[in-house]
Amino acid sequence: METFTGRVKPTAAAEDMDEDMEEDMEEDFHQDIARSSFADMLHDCDRNNKYYQGIRAAVARVKARGEPVIVLDIGTGTGLLSMMAVTAGADFCYAVEMFKPMAQAARCIVEKNGFSNKIKIINKHSTDVTVGPEGDMQSRANVLLTELFDTELIGEGALPSYEHAHVHLMQTGCEAVPHRARVYAQLVQSEELWSWAHLHPVNVGSSRLLPYPALTRCAGSHAVCDIQLSQLPSHSFTALSPRLTMFSVDFSKPVSSKPQTYSCKFEALCSGQAQVVLSWWDITMDPSDSIVCSMAPSWTYEDPCAAPWRDHWMQSVYFLSEQSSVTKGEELCVSVSHDDYSLWYSLCRQSSHTCAEVPQPSCSCLAHLVWNRPRFGELNDQRRTQSYVQALCEVLQEDSVCLSVSDGSLLPLFAHLLGAKKVFSVESFRMNRQVIEQVLEANQLTGCVELLGGHPEHLSSEEIQGLQVSVLMGEPYFSSSLLPWHSLYFWYCRTALAAVLRPDAVVLPCAASLHMVAVEFKDLWKIRAPCGMCEGFDVSPMDQMIQRSLEFRESREAEPHSLWEYPCHAITHSMEVMTFDFTQCVPKQPLTSQGALPFIRSGHCHAVVMWMEYHLTEDITVSAGLTAPLGAQGQCQWSRHQKQAVFFFSSPRDTPAEGIAHLSYSYTFEPSLGDIQVDFNILPAQ
């Protein structure tokens, strides 16, 4: 999960993006606070309640032994768990928090709730904490509280932190909350998920574009793919194994961070292609495993509606190094290995008797370093590809000279295969060029597309052999883009390249349009909503700190989210609010759009969602947002390959019945910045 998001200037070349880094440091500091996941955790009632139950039980067990209860809370955040411990009867708590703004907030919250005499906030990494008369802690603790987990369980360094704590900070035989964690896995066949890690053959007219051999053999990136598996439709995967318990960790005993491998044997449930391992974990808060907080996706529950929602912990997808056929009833073995911070999975046949230890995956083909997983999915989207192929068929002539501007794009290969006379492609990054060169070589097309370095805005006529470009094309896709309108960099390139374009040159896409819709989220609103009270404790200083950071600059801006993972329904119609004509140069003056959009159903207006649609020709459009008309009840179907821009209101706005209120909007595109400023208000109908 991306806990924090950065910003980028659409007008800037990638190599120039760090020029303003120093002046942005204060802004990034506030952004880190404003867009952290602390609010999401505070809204996670299931998590909070289970922790509280476990803490009460642990404190009671220590008291029953006649010992004073000394608590160490590692990664205290708001201080919530420490306040729970004191309320449960702990004698003293040492609360460790390395993130300075969070440690300051914890002090305010602890003081506001009257616990300053029982809780000491230590602004350090736990491995730097000292024990003794002159140390941070007067004595070792006998209750260990932690919240050091991420979607992969160990990705935030939980194992080294536990290992150090047991050796240096905790008493022997201590209590721990959580007491234990278990990791689960399920082997599946899923063509959709598999398309996020490998390039499939692409049909281009009568030709077939193949991936290069090194890509097909590559184990891929070791980075975890974390998603909301509950939103993955059941028809998009087939379970080949039962749900497997891979390993567990007892946090009340010394923990080792040394690399380890665990295996689990099973019989295949059905025949198919073993491609992907789905994984999640749970934590039990007590030794009897009666208090369980589970990250299992909703489709593992008898009643899917009973599954708690959380965004700070999701589920993980691991891609096998290669797909392999399995037969129903076949004896198989799934192995999971881990180091300090990450997990990886492998599959072996029982006939081999032992599952050999598999090294951590690493990309050897470069493609996984160039294309992220949504990008792989986008390149493998046949419907999207055919839209570009159809558009190119409409605009290409036998004498067409094409110039492509996009990052790591197959579009110039399509143009060549469809009959263009000459094709140039600007690939600013060396690694991108290397990947495209390998695709060309694998398809006996070496030299058919001339790959150019540098940046499009600096392209000279000599680099394209003095030719005039008749087709300027782009997806557009740029790896540095965060928000939908950052792809307008293509427009700036088109403007800079005006001198090398023929007077009658075709620009593809010929235009882009910005669209909006107001939505009510089922759950995502929680990541930005104030918490106020949490389990009986006043955490409003945290809300105030986030709000101050939002007001620094973020309050009038949107942030990127993959909305296919977050159910919502529209409470207005969708609307096109701005159009950008790529056949013309970028204007000198700002473009503005104002208006009002009536609410068509009552509900809570949590946010406004925005996305771009690219008009390849007058009749062919590719959407990076809604991919189907809104449903009868406002159901939204979002692109899985692109993130949409979400403008959250500071608090949910109640929208009354149809026709009683409307959403006013104001957009300003400032050409000198290449950015779009937005403003929204909910007003009564006139």
Side-chain angles (χ1 to χ4, degrees):
M1 181 193 68
E2 294 180 13
T3 306
F4 307 132
T5 55
R7 58 173 70 242
V8 65
K9 294 182 179 179
T11 56
E15 65 188 18
D16 301 325
M17 289 193 302
D18 61 350
E19 291 182 355
D20 300 319
M21 187 176 296
E22 187 172 341
E23 67 185 54
D24 286 343
M25 286 182 66
E26 183 179 7
E27 180 175 320
D28 290 342
F29 168 83
H30 287 279
Q31 180 170 281
D32 284 356
I33 297 171
R35 293 185 173 177
S36 69
S37 60
F38 287 110
D40 173 32
M41 289 187 283
L42 294 175
H43 282 288
D44 188 345
C45 296
D46 177 72
R47 163 195 176 273
N48 299 337
N49 182 262
K50 300 289 175 59
Y51 261 102
Y52 211 167
Q53 290 181 53
I55 289 169
R56 289 191 188 103
V59 170
R61 289 195 297 274
V62 175
K63 282 186 168 294
R65 299 198 292 262
E67 302 174 14
V69 181
I70 308 300
V71 175
L72 173 61
D73 177 6
I74 300 178
T76 193
T78 59
L80 177 66
L81 302 187
S82 289
M83 293 189 294
M84 289 178 176
V86 172
T87 303
D91 295 282
F92 199 81
C93 292
Y94 296 100
V96 180
E97 175 56 55
M98 65 177 295
F99 185 37
K100 186 174 181 179
M102 200 64 252
Q104 293 170 342
R107 288 193 183 95
C108 293
I109 292 169
V110 165
E111 182 178 358
K112 189 175 185 68
N113 287 274
F115 294 115
S116 294
N117 63 327
K118 290 276 187 112
I119 299 174
K120 178 183 179 181
I121 306 297
I122 302 171
N123 182 205
K124 288 184 176 182
H125 192 282
S126 64
T127 56
D128 295 325
V129 171
T130 56
V131 179
E134 304 300 322
D136 301 303
M137 300 169 60
Q138 292 297 298
S139 64
R140 289 176 176 246
N142 52 15
V143 175
L144 176 58
L145 308 181
T146 57
E147 210 286 44
L148 299 172
F149 314 117
D150 68 348
T151 293
E152 206 172 13
L153 182 68
I154 65 172
E156 292 184 2
L159 295 181
S161 295
Y162 273 111
E163 186 174 43
H164 176 272
H166 276 290
V167 173
H168 299 284
L169 307 176
M170 301 305 299
Q171 299 176 24
T172 302
C174 67
E175 301 287 342
V177 181
H179 180 83
R180 182 182 290 108
R182 290 187 178 89
V183 173
Y184 303 90
Q186 189 163 33
L187 179 69
V188 304
Q189 172 179 324
S190 174
E191 294 300 333
E192 180 173 353
L193 293 178
W194 190 244
S195 74
W196 297 359
H198 297 270
L199 184 64
H200 295 172
V202 182
N203 294 319
V204 184
S206 59
S207 302
R208 188 169 174 83
L209 199 63
L210 301 175
Y212 54 94
L215 199 165
T216 61
R217 297 191 303 265
C218 184
S221 170
H222 72 274
V224 64
C225 176
D226 53 346
I227 63 171
Q228 294 282 358
L229 274 181
S230 296
Q231 299 309 311
L232 192 68
S234 58
H235 61 76
S236 66
F237 66 92
T238 301
L240 302 178
S241 79
R243 292 156 203 162
L244 309 171
T245 302
M246 298 305 301
F247 69 93
S248 64
V249 183
D250 187 337
F251 297 127
S252 68
K253 299 176 181 178
V255 172
S256 173
S257 63
K258 292 181 179 178
Q260 296 188 58
T261 296
Y262 306 89
S263 298
C264 189
K265 299 176 181 179
F266 65 95
E267 290 186 0
L269 298 178
C270 61
S271 300
Q273 292 293 314
Q275 299 170 322
V276 172
V277 175
L278 309 181
S279 183
W280 59 90
W281 51 268
D282 64 26
I283 45 178
T284 55
M285 302 298 183
D286 63 321
S288 64
D289 292 344
S290 61
I291 308 169
V292 182
C293 184
S294 174
M295 289 351 105
S298 61
W299 38 261
T300 65
Y301 286 69
E302 287 187 15
D303 177 11
C305 295
W309 182 87
R310 46 179 67 94
D311 202 49
H312 54 102
W313 296 327
M314 294 187 282
Q315 298 82 36
S316 303
V317 176
Y318 297 89
F319 304 93
L320 298 179
S321 58
E322 59 181 0
Q323 63 180 345
S324 59
S325 298
V326 302
T327 305
K328 182 178 179 179
E330 183 180 0
E331 293 185 341
L332 301 169
C333 180
V334 165
S335 294
V336 60
S337 303
H338 73 75
D339 56 15
D340 286 8
Y341 294 95
S342 57
L343 307 177
W344 59 96
Y345 283 84
S346 59
L347 175 69
C348 68
R349 311 278 171 173
Q350 286 250 22
S351 57
S352 64
H353 301 294
T354 59
C355 290
E357 186 172 331
V358 176
Q360 185 179 34
S362 62
C363 177
S364 58
C365 72
L366 299 183
H368 300 93
L369 306 179
V370 167
W371 298 323
N372 61 22
R373 292 181 177 110
R375 179 60 169 163
F376 266 103
E378 189 170 60
L379 294 173
N380 287 321
D381 185 337
Q382 289 294 331
R383 179 179 297 182
R384 178 180 182 273
T385 294
Q386 291 313 309
S387 293
Y388 284 93
V389 169
Q390 183 181 346
L392 284 170
C393 286
E394 290 185 15
V395 304
L396 289 178
Q397 305 292 328
E398 290 184 359
D399 62 347
S400 291
V401 176
C402 301
L403 175 62
S404 174
V405 178
S406 276
D407 286 349
S409 179
L410 300 179
L411 208 57
L413 283 71
F414 298 171
H416 169 76
L417 293 173
L418 293 171
K421 178 181 178 181
K422 185 70 178 178
V423 182
F424 298 95
S425 179
V426 180
E427 289 286 1
S428 301
F429 298 98
R430 177 179 54 83
M431 202 174 295
N432 286 2
R433 295 194 297 276
Q434 291 175 317
V435 167
I436 301 302
E437 284 169 355
Q438 291 184 79
V439 177
L440 289 166
E441 182 180 356
N443 290 275
Q444 291 79 50
L445 298 175
T446 300
C448 295
V449 174
E450 188 154 343
L451 300 174
L452 308 174
H455 292 278
E457 60 268 38
H458 303 144
L459 187 72
S460 66
S461 177
E462 290 74 18
E463 290 177 274
I464 57 172
Q465 303 168 15
L467 298 172
Q468 288 280 289
V469 173
S470 56
V471 178
L472 175 65
M473 58 189 181
E475 300 183 38
Y477 172 84
F478 303 104
S479 57
S480 60
S481 296
L482 295 176
L483 293 171
W485 46 85
H486 291 165
S487 63
L488 291 176
Y489 176 59
F490 177 78
W491 200 11
Y492 288 85
C493 294
R494 177 261 178 269
T495 302
L497 293 167
V500 301
L501 300 182
R502 283 173 40 173
D504 60 347
V506 172
V507 180
L508 187 158
C510 59
S513 53
L514 179 65
H515 296 247
M516 65 172 278
V517 66
V519 302
E520 177 176 358
F521 283 111
K522 181 181 178 183
D523 295 297
L524 188 62
W525 62 272
K526 297 172 186 176
I527 69 172
R528 296 292 167 262
C531 187
M533 300 295 293
C534 180
E535 296 294 323
F537 302 102
D538 186 347
V539 294
S540 58
M542 178 68 188
D543 297 334
Q544 294 161 9
M545 183 178 72
I546 291 175
Q547 188 57 39
R548 285 194 299 271
S549 290
L550 283 168
E551 290 171 353
F552 177 77
R553 184 167 170 182
E554 292 288 327
S555 59
R556 298 293 92 189
E557 295 190 0
E559 55 190 81
H561 289 279
S562 298
L563 290 187
W564 73 268
E565 298 182 61
Y566 304 103
C568 65
H569 68 270
I571 51 179
T572 66
H573 292 298
S574 62
M575 183 178 183
E576 179 183 307
V577 289
M578 297 191 90
T579 301
F580 310 94
D581 185 357
F582 293 163
T583 66
Q584 304 297 317
C585 292
V586 176
K588 301 291 186 183
Q589 300 302 315
L591 301 178
T592 61
S593 176
Q594 293 88 29
L597 196 55
F599 290 100
I600 57 174
R601 55 180 59 89
S602 59
H604 302 293
C605 184
H606 293 127
V608 175
V609 179
M610 294 160 282
W611 67 96
M612 299 289 276
E613 294 188 1
Y614 302 105
H615 308 286
L616 307 185
T617 65
E618 291 185 0
D619 303 318
I620 303 174
T621 296
V622 172
S623 174
L626 288 175
T627 57
L630 294 172
Q633 302 302 316
Q635 301 95 322
C636 301
Q637 184 174 315
W638 300 104
S639 167
R640 298 194 173 197
H641 313 314
Q642 297 281 347
K643 291 185 177 182
Q644 294 73 43
V646 182
F647 180 101
F648 286 100
F649 290 105
S650 57
S651 59
R653 312 289 179 91
D654 291 334
T655 58
E658 179 180 350
I660 298 180
H662 64 258
L663 175 70
S664 70
Y665 61 84
S666 175
Y667 291 85
T668 301
F669 170 68
E670 177 52 63
S672 63
L673 300 175
D675 209 357
I676 295 178
Q677 299 299 314
V678 299
D679 192 21
F680 304 101
N681 284 290
I682 296 176
L683 303 172
Q686 299 297 321

